[in-house]
Amino acid sequence: KSPDGVYLRWVMTCTIHHRKMTFVAPGMSHLRLTPDGRISYHRDYWDAAEELYEKLPVLGILMRWLKCQAAK
């Protein structure tokens, strides 16, 4: 817990059965609470590029190329 709210770490797992593919994406949620403990703000953060886009047939080629270019 911080003055700005609560941060929760989580792991999302998604399976596409007809392709026999499983994606695992770690992420984090940022929550702000009202004085009585209710959630007044919720935002999730996760890296879609690395965990999802790179594994898609056409888009994955582009994402892997961009990642290599950024590493140079």
Side-chain angles (χ1 to χ4, degrees), residues 25-69:
M28 184 182 318
S29 294
H30 176 202
L31 307 174
R32 289 187 190 137
L33 306 174
T34 62
D36 63 351
R38 293 183 296 150
I39 297 170
S40 63
Y41 174 86
H42 174 196
R43 174 159 286 179
D44 291 326
Y45 300 93
W46 60 289
D47 186 356
E50 184 168 341
E51 299 301 333
L52 179 60
Y53 300 153
E54 284 186 9
K55 294 175 176 78
L56 295 175
V58 176
L59 190 56
I61 295 168
L62 174 62
M63 295 306 294
R64 288 188 295 276
W65 180 81
L66 287 171
K67 188 176 182 179
C68 288
Q69 296 304 306

Side-chain angles (χ1 to χ4, degrees), residues 12-16 21-25 52:
M12 174 179 62
T13 303
C14 176
T15 302
I16 301 173
M21 298 171 70
T22 299
F23 303 103
V24 178
L52 179 60

